[in-house]
Amino acid sequence: MTAPADRIEKLREEIREHNHRYYVLDDPVISDVEYDELMRELIRLEAAHPDLVTPDSPTQKVGAAPIEEFGTVEHEVPMLSLGNLTSEAELREWEEQLRNHLKEPDLDIAYVIEPKLDGVAVAAIYEDGVYAVGATRGDGTRGEDITEQLKTVPSLPLRLRKSPARFEARGEAFIPIAGFAALNRRLSEAGEKTYANPRNLTSGSLKQKDPGATAERPLDVFFYSVGIVEGVGIGSQWELLETLAELGLRTSDLSVRCATIDEVAARLLELQEMRDDLPFEIDGAVIKVDDRALQDRLGERSRSPRWATAYKFAARQGTTKLEDILVSVGRTGALTPVGVLEPVPIGGVTVSRVTLHNKDEIERLGVRVGDTVLVQRAGDVIPKVVKVIEDRRTGKEREFTWPETCPECGTPVREDEEAVAIYCPNIACPA
Ligand code: IVH
């Protein structure tokens, strides 16, 4: 018979391996039922032998008590921010600046291009391979202690696959678009406040004082950088990404190495094309000089490295004034409210009309004519109002009233059974 301690260790190793395959590699080799059986056996054994429970056991992802106040974490290595570019011309200028700074006008520079995830920057510190501290970026020097909250993220390992003395992985926590939409729907149905975008939801989720509440949110994380590193040598950004993956940390498979700035420019276009089809929000790409020795020679200036920069895609959200609400009649007779906006550029297009869908949507948003609204436009989707900026109300806004007669044919309108749609009952209505 095997001793409980041996069986426990064996189970942990197995579960860690399956976690890694499932959450990091996206390539599970057992069914959920089989996985649950292993987990249940481990929970049962640990309950019978509480002295054998360790902080890096897969059972320890959730369960910490709510906190009163977030503590602070000093970043031993500052968490920098990035400068940004918005055009190919600026990209080429940036490379010229790098060469000038290095005083090597003909130098060939290789780069790593990564997606710029629109989430929350986090740091996860591992001591002897065991997860010890989690922190937000904060002001770059001091962040919030979110050790217990970050720990609940399924793809974050509690133990690395190797054990460097100290290793601080840095990356972006985020919530995929599908999880964001589902959660917002639930909040809206419960009459609670919804979130404007996945980034706000991610931030709100990591700042739950009850880690159990964070565990309920569909958080994920991609790593792309390091802070404190003791016991591992890293010669380039590409090698850094490989090291992160070898340690069992999740990295994005959209990152590529480019040998020239022409390749970089082509990759930026590719990423921009892919943007609407990705399961998570990216707001651009990050361009990093690959070679570590070159990075060191380039150094940093005012809180951002010279060797890396962001390439920003056009924003998909913008605020503007809702000047009026018009009513159009569809082919089915349903009256559809259309918002008339003070024109605003969003995602490279001027938006002056938004759909307000139906009666329910207007009530849910609580929108009034004259309100300042947050508008979103993604890909080919018709622009929509995400929320009303209530702080900007002046008192001059007015509630929208539905017309009593069809704007096309003058027939008195009716409300359908579920009181969602208002429609024109006239079969002969020209609309
Ligand atoms: S690197 C040393 N890489 O963008 C460079 N940042 O404006 C430090 N971000 O605070 C950042 N994806 O939250 C880097 N692949 C990526 C990123 C990324 C998103 C965010 C990060 C950072 C901000 C910089």
Side-chain angles (χ1 to χ4, degrees):
M1 220 189 95
T2 45
D6 293 341
R7 180 63 189 153
I8 285 177
E9 207 29 62
K10 178 102 200 329
L11 281 166
R12 285 180 187 158
E13 269 165 35
E14 251 183 84
I15 292 169
R16 277 187 198 118
E17 190 58 33
H18 291 308
N19 281 346
H20 182 247
R21 294 208 67 109
Y22 186 89
Y23 292 112
V24 180
L25 304 180
D26 238 332
D27 183 25
V29 286
I30 58 168
S31 70
D32 291 2
V33 176
E34 288 167 301
Y35 177 86
D36 289 346
E37 253 167 51
L38 294 173
M39 200 64 175
R40 263 204 307 276
E41 186 184 349
L42 179 59
I43 291 170
R44 196 170 45 74
L45 280 172
E46 286 185 352
H49 305 276
D51 52 312
L52 295 178
V53 178
T54 57
D56 63 340
S57 170
T59 59
Q60 303 302 300
K61 292 275 306 172
V62 201
I67 53 163
E68 292 280 337
E69 212 69 61
F70 286 96
T72 53
V73 172
E74 301 263 343
H75 298 300
E76 285 181 40
V77 179
M79 287 182 83
L80 303 176
S81 65
L82 295 171
N84 63 70
L85 316 168
T86 50
S87 70
E88 190 178 327
E90 283 176 13
L91 172 70
R92 292 181 188 277
E93 246 169 66
W94 180 69
E95 179 171 68
E96 276 314 300
Q97 285 163 18
L98 297 182
R99 289 181 173 149
N100 287 342
H101 194 88
L102 294 163
K103 300 197 172 58
E104 294 198 52
D106 303 313
L107 184 67
D108 290 326
I109 307 177
Y111 303 90
V112 172
I113 311 306
E114 300 166 8
K116 186 169 189 298
L117 293 145
D118 197 7
V120 173
V122 295
I125 304 177
Y126 290 83
E127 283 166 6
D128 292 322
V130 179
Y131 175 74
V133 175
T136 61
R137 173 171 181 271
D139 64 4
T141 313
R142 215 170 276 116
E144 271 175 315
D145 185 337
I146 52 161
T147 303
E148 295 303 330
Q149 287 74 10
L150 190 61
K151 193 178 179 180
T152 68
V153 177
S155 51
L156 185 106
L158 295 186
R159 168 178 275 286
L160 298 178
R161 294 165 74 78
K162 289 178 190 158
S163 305
R166 288 177 89 203
F167 191 88
E168 177 181 353
R170 292 176 174 178
E172 204 84 354
F174 65 97
I175 287 185
I177 296 165
F180 163 74
L183 200 93
N184 249 359
R185 211 176 308 121
R186 280 215 304 279
L187 288 172
S188 160
E189 278 163 14
E192 285 180 50
K193 127 176 162 13
T194 55
Y195 290 85
N197 49 54
R199 175 168 31 84
N200 290 358
L201 177 60
T202 303
S203 172
S205 301
L206 288 173
K207 291 191 184 155
Q208 295 288 320
K209 289 182 176 163
D210 175 6
T214 306
E216 301 286 307
R217 304 288 174 86
L219 285 158
D220 202 342
V221 61
F222 280 136
F223 289 98
Y224 49 68
S225 174
V226 290
I228 318 156
V229 175
E230 286 169 23
V232 218
I234 299 165
S236 69
Q237 176 63 17
W238 193 248
E239 217 176 286
L240 165 62
L241 295 177
E242 284 174 346
T243 302
L244 289 166
E246 278 165 19
L247 289 171
L249 296 156
R250 188 156 145 84
T251 54
S252 169
D253 54 12
L254 295 173
S255 300
V256 296
R257 190 173 181 280
C258 294
T260 65
I261 208 76
D262 289 334
E263 280 181 40
V264 172
R267 180 61 184 169
L268 294 177
L269 285 180
E270 261 172 29
L271 277 173
Q272 186 137 15
E273 291 279 307
M274 289 162 76
R275 186 185 190 189
D276 288 323
D277 301 319
L278 296 175
F280 43 79
E281 286 281 0
I282 62 172
D283 59 349
V286 181
I287 307 155
K288 300 178 180 175
V289 169
D290 189 30
D291 187 72
R292 180 68 195 273
L294 283 183
Q295 290 179 5
D296 290 343
R297 280 171 63 193
L298 286 160
E300 62 194 61
R301 60 151 225 285
S302 65
R303 312 268 85 195
S304 53
R306 267 195 205 88
W307 52 268
T309 191
Y311 181 86
K312 289 276 223 171
F313 297 155
R316 298 170 124 165
Q317 293 187 330
T319 53
T320 188
K321 200 170 152 191
L322 178 71
E323 291 180 327
D324 200 0
I325 297 178
L326 305 177
V327 173
S328 75
V329 188
R331 222 168 28 83
T332 58
L335 269 57
T336 308
V338 177
V340 180
L341 304 174
E342 193 172 284
V344 58
I346 302 176
V349 192
T350 302
V351 177
S352 52
R353 288 265 198 284
V354 279
T355 172
L356 288 164
H357 300 290
N358 52 36
K359 188 162 160 273
D360 257 17
E361 178 76 353
I362 291 184
E363 280 166 16
R364 188 183 69 78
L365 290 166
V367 67
R368 300 176 194 162
V369 174
D371 265 336
T372 298
V373 289
L374 178 67
V375 176
Q376 175 166 303
R377 180 191 157 267
D380 300 332
V381 184
I382 301 169
K384 62 171 191 185
V385 171
V386 178
K387 64 186 266 172
V388 173
I389 316 286
E390 289 184 19
D391 291 354
R392 299 274 289 271
R393 280 201 172 140
T394 60
K396 289 196 188 129
E397 299 75 16
R398 65 177 168 81
E399 294 227 9
F400 170 68
T401 44
W402 287 88
E404 282 171 13
T405 56
C406 171
E408 291 287 335
C409 69
T411 311
V413 296
R414 287 194 205 150
E415 209 165 304
D416 75 357
E417 307 266 303
E418 288 92 39
V420 174
I422 308 237
Y423 68 99
C424 168
N426 177 13
I427 304 172
C429 175

